[in-house]
């Protein structure tokens, strides 16, 4: 017996449940997306190298390198590819190589597995990053913008990831170039709010660099929208419609956390502190002013378009972070 149709949230519309395979879906963002898709009635399979069961989705082991029995899960399924090590590491040659390999190696394994199927995937949602545009300065960037050549740990890694994904055979594909996703329990949000709580919530570097950001709820909604809407294909910017400067981001966080003052961190201080945090200072000192032109033109509605309301919503949440269920 087939699965019952489910309500997709739009008045008068119902859709059949689908099978979605999330490669690299055991992390915080992957589990949040899995929870969202399970909640609307989809069958979700999480490919993970970890032996630890996931909370959301059916856990299937793979090594992320070679084709195995896991490849049968791809037959007729939508594939969401999230594979990759977290970017919060030093931009050493070894670190850049790890960031690149952790994305391209499993993506090529997925491509090889798809080549063994009798039919192409109905759809690929390939995660990428707005860091592909490097340190872009003041211009407003939509999906027509050209990727940058450097820095290698940002644009270089992203270009290699997207190139590997081009080998995956699919009837329809979306490349989600994503801004900084805010959710409690994830490194980006926790570090920024931590700096504010420690009294270091002033501007970072010059403070004028643009931050393209996104509330976790809107990321999940964008993934759903791209899966459900046949018109969505190619590069899509997954970012809130109103990017902000670093200084305004920090001001908003201070206000939400009731910290009237924060010590600024000039660029030399950021570089010095990054040594102890084992992080890349360019994550803070560079920026991109990106807008989600294709989503807006298609009529997608953001739940959290305003930074202040988004931050307030995230800080008010009392649910256990998804990362705790890894």
């Amino acid at each position: 017996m087939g699965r019952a149709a489910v309500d997709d949230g739009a008045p008068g519309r119902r859709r059949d449940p689908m099978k979605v395979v999330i490669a690299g879906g055991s992390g915080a963002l992957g589990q949040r997306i899995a929870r969202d898709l399970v909640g609307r009635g989809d069958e979700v399979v999480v490919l993970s190298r970890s032996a630890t069961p996931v909370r959301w989705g059916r856990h299937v082991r793979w090594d992320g390198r070679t084709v195995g029995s896991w490849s049968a899960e791809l037959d007729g399924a939508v594939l969401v590819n999230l594979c990759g090590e977290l970017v919060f590491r030093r931009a050493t040659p070894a670190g850049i190589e790890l960031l690149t390999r952790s994305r391209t190696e499993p993506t090529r394994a997925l491509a090889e597995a798809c080549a063994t199927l009798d039919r192409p995937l109905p759809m690929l949602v390939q995660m990428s990053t707005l860091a592909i545009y490097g340190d872009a300065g003041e211009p407003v960037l939509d999906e027509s913008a050209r990727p940058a050549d450097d820095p290698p740990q940002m644009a270089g890694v992203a270009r290699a990831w997207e190139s590997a994904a081009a080998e995956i055979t699919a009837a329809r594909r979306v490349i989600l170039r994503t801004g900084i996703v805010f959710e409690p329990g994830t490194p980006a949000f926790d570090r920024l709010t931590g700096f504010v709580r420690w009294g270091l919530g002033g501007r970072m570097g010059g403070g004028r660099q643009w931050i393209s950001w996104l509330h976790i709820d809107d990321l999940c909604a964008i993934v759903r929208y791209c899966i459900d809407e046949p018109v969505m294909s190619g590069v899509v910017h997954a970012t809130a419609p109103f990017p902000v400067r670093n200084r305004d981001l920090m001001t908003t966080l201070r206000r939400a956390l009731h910290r009237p003052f924060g010590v600024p961190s000039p660029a030399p201080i950021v570089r010095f502190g990054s040594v102890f945090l084992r992080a890349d200072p360019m994550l803070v000192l560079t920026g991109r002013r990106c807008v989600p032109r294709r989503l807006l033109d298609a009529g997608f509605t953001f739940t959290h378009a305003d930074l202040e309301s988004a931050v307030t919503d995230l800080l008010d949440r009392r649910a256990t972070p998804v990362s705790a269920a890894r």
Side-chain angles (χ1 to χ4, degrees), residues 34-98:
R35 182 175 70 176
D36 184 72
L37 295 174
V38 167
R40 74 173 192 166
D42 290 335
E43 176 189 358
V44 176
V45 175
V46 174
L47 297 182
S48 174
R49 284 173 280 198
S50 171
T52 304
V54 296
R55 182 176 180 183
W56 302 100
R58 177 162 55 85
H59 182 223
V60 173
R61 291 286 303 279
W62 74 328
D63 64 5
R65 295 190 306 273
T66 57
V67 177
S69 60
W70 57 266
S71 62
E73 300 289 352
L74 296 172
D75 188 25
V78 171
L79 173 60
V80 179
N81 182 18
L82 303 177
C83 294
E85 291 286 335
L86 293 174
V87 299
F88 293 92
R89 64 185 67 249
R90 296 285 292 164
T92 62
I96 295 171
E97 195 276 334
L98 175 61

Side-chain angles (χ1 to χ4, degrees), residues 232-279:
M232 301 306 295
S233 64
V235 173
V236 174
H237 282 183
T239 187
F242 304 112
V244 297
R245 294 191 189 274
N246 171 270
R247 65 190 180 198
D248 298 322
L249 169 63
M250 302 311 295
T251 297
T252 300
L253 290 172
R254 290 199 310 272
R255 185 160 49 240
L257 289 166
H258 309 293
R259 299 295 196 275
F261 177 75
V263 176
S265 300
I269 299 298
V270 172
R271 294 189 179 94
F272 178 75
S274 68
V275 175
F276 298 95
L277 293 174
R278 302 180 65 83

Side-chain angles (χ1 to χ4, degrees), residues 201-221:
R203 59 174 174 78
M204 297 180 175
R208 292 182 54 80
Q209 62 272 36
W210 288 97
I211 307 297
S212 298
W213 62 275
L214 184 66
H215 190 291
I216 182 62
D217 287 353
D218 282 325
L219 173 63
C220 293

Side-chain angles (χ1 to χ4, degrees), residues 7-306:
D7 191 343
D8 70 353
R13 290 178 54 184
R14 293 178 68 80
R15 47 170 289 278
D16 292 329
M18 61 186 67
K19 182 178 182 180
V20 181
V21 175
I22 305 179
S26 62
L29 295 184
Q31 279 292 279
R32 187 62 176 80
I33 292 170
R35 182 175 70 176
D36 184 72
L37 295 174
V38 167
R40 74 173 192 166
D42 290 335
E43 176 189 358
V44 176
V45 175
V46 174
L47 297 182
S48 174
R49 284 173 280 198
S50 171
T52 304
V54 296
R55 182 176 180 183
W56 302 100
R58 177 162 55 85
H59 182 223
V60 173
R61 291 286 303 279
W62 74 328
D63 64 5
R65 295 190 306 273
T66 57
V67 177
S69 60
W70 57 266
S71 62
E73 300 289 352
L74 296 172
D75 188 25
V78 171
L79 173 60
V80 179
N81 182 18
L82 303 177
C83 294
E85 291 286 335
L86 293 174
V87 299
F88 293 92
R89 64 185 67 249
R90 296 285 292 164
T92 62
I96 295 171
E97 195 276 334
L98 175 61
L99 289 175
T100 304
R101 176 168 46 81
S102 68
R103 286 160 172 75
T104 58
E105 191 172 68
T107 299
R108 292 193 179 105
L110 291 167
E112 291 176 13
C114 289
T116 69
L117 302 177
D118 293 333
R119 52 182 173 168
L121 293 175
M123 185 183 183
L124 166 68
V125 178
Q126 171 63 44
M127 192 64 67
S128 185
T129 170
L130 294 175
I132 199 168
Y133 301 117
D135 189 14
E138 291 297 312
V140 177
L141 306 179
D142 63 15
E143 289 86 350
S144 66
R146 295 183 58 183
D149 294 322
D150 53 43
Q153 73 272 29
M154 298 167 69
V157 170
R159 288 167 68 111
W161 198 10
E162 291 189 12
S163 178
E167 301 174 14
I168 297 177
T169 303
R172 182 164 63 94
R173 63 180 61 233
V174 167
I175 308 298
L176 274 186
R177 292 179 180 167
T178 306
I180 301 172
V181 179
F182 288 157
E183 182 188 23
T186 57
F189 191 77
D190 286 358
R191 287 195 178 188
L192 286 170
T193 54
F195 289 147
V196 173
R197 289 189 173 100
W198 300 333
L200 301 175
R203 59 174 174 78
M204 297 180 175
R208 292 182 54 80
Q209 62 272 36
W210 288 97
I211 307 297
S212 298
W213 62 275
L214 184 66
H215 190 291
I216 182 62
D217 287 353
D218 282 325
L219 173 63
C220 293
I222 289 168
V223 171
R224 292 197 312 269
Y225 189 83
C226 288
I227 290 174
D228 294 344
E229 297 296 331
V231 298
M232 301 306 295
S233 64
V235 173
V236 174
H237 282 183
T239 187
F242 304 112
V244 297
R245 294 191 189 274
N246 171 270
R247 65 190 180 198
D248 298 322
L249 169 63
M250 302 311 295
T251 297
T252 300
L253 290 172
R254 290 199 310 272
R255 185 160 49 240
L257 289 166
H258 309 293
R259 299 295 196 275
F261 177 75
V263 176
S265 300
I269 299 298
V270 172
R271 294 189 179 94
F272 178 75
S274 68
V275 175
F276 298 95
L277 293 174
R278 302 180 65 83
D280 178 11
M282 298 298 283
L283 294 173
V284 171
L285 299 178
T286 60
R288 291 148 293 281
R289 191 181 184 184
C290 298
V291 294
R293 179 63 55 207
R294 295 199 58 210
L295 285 170
L296 294 174
D297 288 348
F300 178 84
T301 301
F302 286 83
T303 303
H304 303 282
D306 171 73

